[in-house]
Amino acid sequence: MSLKKSIILIFIILLIDQISKIYIKTTFVLQESIDVFSWFEIIFVENDGMAWGTKISDFVSFISDRTAKVILTSFRIVAIFGIGYWLYDATVKQHSKLLIIAIALIFAGALGNIIDSVFYGVLFDDSYSQVATFLPEAGGYDGLLHGKVVDMLHFPLFEVDLPEWFPFYAGKRFSFFDPVFNVADMAISTGFIMLIVFNKKAFSDKK
């Protein structure tokens, strides 16, 4: 797979990701939701940290939330350059098509969430009890590197009461699948799953 084709794939994913996020951000109030099916809903939430809202400051108590946010966003920016070089190297050396597609998906997803983290605080006002405005006259809800990632896809497939003998969650109600995510997250997850499941094929010798 050529570098040109991988860039087209990245562009398509980024376009879908950003259009969906901007639509949700400028149409929904925070926590507003729409039931599409019994097992799928669109709900507007914002993620200020890593996966499932985890923050660096949750593990390092002496770092403030704002400092942790800058560190996380900066790390993501550095990482995207590394992933970009990996993609370039894989295409130049003509590695397997599966590997290149997986890297392109991871790159597109990471870049999609970086755009939120870097720019959304400046581009939009907040979504608390109101629908956000794009480029508000009074300015955004925060500065550069302090934007929140927009999530909206939720698949509550089923709920079950766990038995008393179940470890850690005995007798509690378990819901699958609780996390709310976005198109960028789907791209990253798909890329990593491809690398894990098809590991031998992905990392086979170049043609």
Side-chain angles (χ1 to χ4, degrees), residues 114-190:
I114 284 173
I115 291 172
D116 298 29
S117 297
V118 175
F119 299 111
Y120 273 30
V122 177
L123 297 177
F124 300 96
D125 52 10
D126 69 71
S127 300
Y128 296 100
S129 303
Q130 66 174 9
V131 173
T133 303
F134 181 68
L135 295 178
E137 293 183 5
Y141 62 80
D142 215 321
L144 282 174
L145 305 182
H146 288 287
K148 298 176 182 179
V149 176
V150 174
D151 294 323
M152 77 291 290
L153 304 175
H154 184 216
F155 290 85
L157 299 180
F158 64 87
E159 292 184 355
V160 61
D161 291 320
L162 298 176
E164 292 297 332
W165 52 262
F166 199 89
F168 303 111
Y169 295 95
K172 295 183 179 179
R173 190 164 185 80
F174 174 75
S175 175
F176 183 88
F177 179 74
D178 272 345
V180 182
F181 52 95
N182 56 44
V183 174
D185 296 330
M186 290 176 60
I188 294 172
S189 299
T190 302

Side-chain angles (χ1 to χ4, degrees), residues 52-171:
W52 296 292
T54 306
K55 300 177 183 179
I56 295 176
S57 52
D58 293 338
F59 305 98
V60 187
S61 58
F62 60 85
I63 295 179
S64 68
D65 285 349
R66 291 187 65 79
T67 301
K69 176 65 176 178
V70 172
I71 293 173
L72 176 61
T73 304
S74 300
F75 173 77
R76 284 171 168 169
I77 293 172
V78 172
I80 199 70
F81 280 101
I83 299 169
Y85 176 78
W86 186 19
L87 176 62
Y88 171 78
D89 185 66
T91 55
V92 169
K93 294 180 179 178
Q94 297 182 12
H95 285 293
S96 68
K97 182 178 181 180
L98 193 148
L99 175 63
I100 295 172
I101 292 175
I103 300 172
L105 289 172
I106 295 170
F107 181 90
L111 184 56
N113 285 336
I114 284 173
I115 291 172
D116 298 29
S117 297
V118 175
F119 299 111
Y120 273 30
V122 177
L123 297 177
F124 300 96
D125 52 10
D126 69 71
S127 300
Y128 296 100
S129 303
Q130 66 174 9
V131 173
T133 303
F134 181 68
L135 295 178
E137 293 183 5
Y141 62 80
D142 215 321
L144 282 174
L145 305 182
H146 288 287
K148 298 176 182 179
V149 176
V150 174
D151 294 323
M152 77 291 290
L153 304 175
H154 184 216
F155 290 85
L157 299 180
F158 64 87
E159 292 184 355
V160 61
D161 291 320
L162 298 176
E164 292 297 332
W165 52 262
F166 199 89
F168 303 111
Y169 295 95

